[in-house]
């Protein structure tokens, strides 16, 4: 009897894990600017990335994100964000895992952790917000693209473009 209950437990665990992966892997990090029409004029078969600018309020899943400001000074890109959790469960945000930046040649920029302002790391409870700063070291190559992945296990990203 014990062997049968252990086997059933293993099967139950496997089903839960697969169902969770199906839910997570099926989601996407792409968003839509609030107030923008859902119709699109994309060419069939062509991948189209929406690129946003500072001040655009973007809905992604059960949250909204806005890049409040972005400036490049002394070869440092300083960006300020606000994320509003409109869902019913906690959101964990990491400046290292959820955000990245690349120059126009595709070179991934290193984050600059010193003298950047308030951190963009933490847990956002349902109905709460997180506001903070992230900085990257800029070598050259305008423009810079900043990427936000609300769920690191899903495809796509919110993309902002910043120029000097």
């Amino acid at each position: 009897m014990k062997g049968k209950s252990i086997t059933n437990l293993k099967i139950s665990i496997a089903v839960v894990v697969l169902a969770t992966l199906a839910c997570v892997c099926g989601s996407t990090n792409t968003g839509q600017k609030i107030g923008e029409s859902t119709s699109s004029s994309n060419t069939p078969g062509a991948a189209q990335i929406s690129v946003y600018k500072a001040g655009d309020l973007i809905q992604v899943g059960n949250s909204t994100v806005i890049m409040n400001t972005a400036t490049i000074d002394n070869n440092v890109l300083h960006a300020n964000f606000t994320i509003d959790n409109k869902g019913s469960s906690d959101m964990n945000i990491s400046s290292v895992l959820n955000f990245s930046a690349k120059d126009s040649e595709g070179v991934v920029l290193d984050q600059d952790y010193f003298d950047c302002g308030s951190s963009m790391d933490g847990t956002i409870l349902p109905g709460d917000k997180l506001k903070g700063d992230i900085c990257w070291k800029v070598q050259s190559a305008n423009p810079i693209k900043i990427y936000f992945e609300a769920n690191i296990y899903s495809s796509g990203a919110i993309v902002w473009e910043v120029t000097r």
Side-chain angles (χ1 to χ4, degrees):
M1 243 8 210
K2 278 187 177 182
K4 190 173 185 178
S5 64
I6 290 174
T7 302
N8 288 340
L9 178 63
K10 288 179 182 178
I11 291 172
S12 297
I13 290 172
V15 168
V16 169
V17 168
L18 289 174
T20 301
L21 286 174
C23 290
V24 169
C25 293
S27 63
T28 179
N29 285 313
T30 57
Q32 171 133 5
K33 182 177 172 183
I34 293 179
E36 188 175 77
S37 169
T38 57
S39 64
S40 174
S41 61
N42 294 346
T43 305
Q48 188 70 22
I49 298 172
S50 295
V51 178
Y52 303 101
K53 62 185 184 309
D56 289 342
L57 182 62
I58 311 301
Q59 176 82 40
V60 57
N62 291 326
S63 63
T64 58
V65 61
I66 185 170
M67 182 174 70
N68 302 304
T69 60
T71 58
I72 300 173
D73 190 30
N74 294 327
N75 290 332
V76 174
L77 167 58
H78 185 140
N80 179 270
F81 298 91
T82 301
I83 300 175
D84 190 356
N85 182 357
K86 297 182 180 296
S88 59
S89 58
D90 295 358
M91 283 182 71
N92 294 308
I93 299 297
S94 165
S95 59
V96 174
L97 296 176
N98 297 103
F99 290 88
S100 62
K102 295 180 192 174
D103 67 18
S104 64
E105 295 176 8
V107 175
V108 176
L109 305 180
D110 292 327
Q111 281 194 13
D112 185 354
Y113 302 103
F114 303 104
D115 301 319
C116 187
S118 59
S119 170
M120 193 62 199
D121 296 288
T123 299
I124 312 171
L125 300 174
D128 206 359
K129 295 180 183 184
L130 177 65
K131 183 175 182 176
D133 303 301
I134 305 174
C135 296
W136 291 273
K137 298 173 187 174
V138 177
Q139 300 302 317
S140 60
N142 234 354
I144 306 296
K145 288 187 179 173
I146 299 173
Y147 302 85
F148 171 66
E149 297 175 64
N151 183 337
I152 60 172
Y153 300 109
S154 297
S155 63
I158 304 297
V159 181
W160 293 273
E161 191 169 84
V162 179
T163 56
R164 290 184 192 254

